[in-house]
Amino acid sequence: MFSKIKKSLGVLAFGATILASTSLVYAASGEYESTYNMTGGVYSKYFDVGSDPTFTVYVYPEIGVEGSNISLYLERKTTFGHAGVDSGSVSSTVNDSEKLYGDNDAQYRIYYRNWTGHQMKGDTTIKWSY
């Protein structure tokens, strides 16, 4: 009888491990879709992610400025404001993407910056994993 209980507990423990692993894999990535319309800059929403996240920012421009890029700044929320963590750029006129890398388990946001003063508009998707 003791061996049947022991065997049942082993099966339950194995099942719980599989379920927990599946949940962690699902929670370790995400995707957010939005739009941008700016002559200066706009912020994304905050993303609450785990350690060492990777963000991939995709842009699908409708209106851009030929020869100009959109600067991207990954910022981590801190006790006293925000800390710049990584930066890159994407085209303002053709579909493009850029990877940005975080450094801690924290809340992050992405700042899209248009330095031209002319309108830039389009769709954007942010995918992340950690």
Side-chain angles (χ1 to χ4, degrees):
M1 177 153 162
F2 182 69
S3 73
K4 284 185 179 183
I5 293 172
K6 197 172 171 183
K7 191 174 188 179
S8 295
L9 288 175
V11 170
L12 286 173
F14 178 74
T17 302
I18 295 298
L19 287 175
S21 297
T22 303
S23 297
L24 289 175
V25 168
Y26 180 74
S29 64
E31 182 175 321
Y32 174 74
E33 295 179 1
S34 188
T35 61
Y36 61 90
N37 188 354
M38 60 185 176
T39 55
V42 294
Y43 287 98
S44 72
K45 72 173 201 153
Y46 282 101
F47 304 99
D48 195 3
V49 298
S51 292
D52 302 320
T54 299
F55 294 89
T56 305
V57 180
Y58 300 86
V59 294
Y60 310 98
E62 293 174 30
I63 299 172
V65 177
E66 195 63 42
S68 296
N69 289 332
I70 299 170
S71 297
L72 301 171
Y73 300 95
L74 180 63
E75 299 179 347
R76 179 176 20 88
K77 192 172 190 177
T78 66
T79 305
F80 302 107
H82 296 89
V85 178
D86 197 9
S87 64
S89 65
V90 288
S91 173
S92 72
T93 56
V94 298
N95 296 353
D96 199 3
S97 66
E98 179 75 20
K99 287 190 181 212
L100 302 172
Y101 300 94
D103 57 2
N104 286 329
D105 180 353
Q107 287 187 325
Y108 291 88
R109 68 182 181 184
I110 297 168
Y111 183 51
Y112 295 68
R113 184 67 167 108
N114 167 7
W115 295 100
T116 69
H118 299 286
Q119 183 182 25
M120 292 181 182
K121 177 181 177 181
D123 296 319
T124 185
T125 300
I126 301 169
K127 294 182 180 181
W128 66 90
S129 61
Y130 55 94

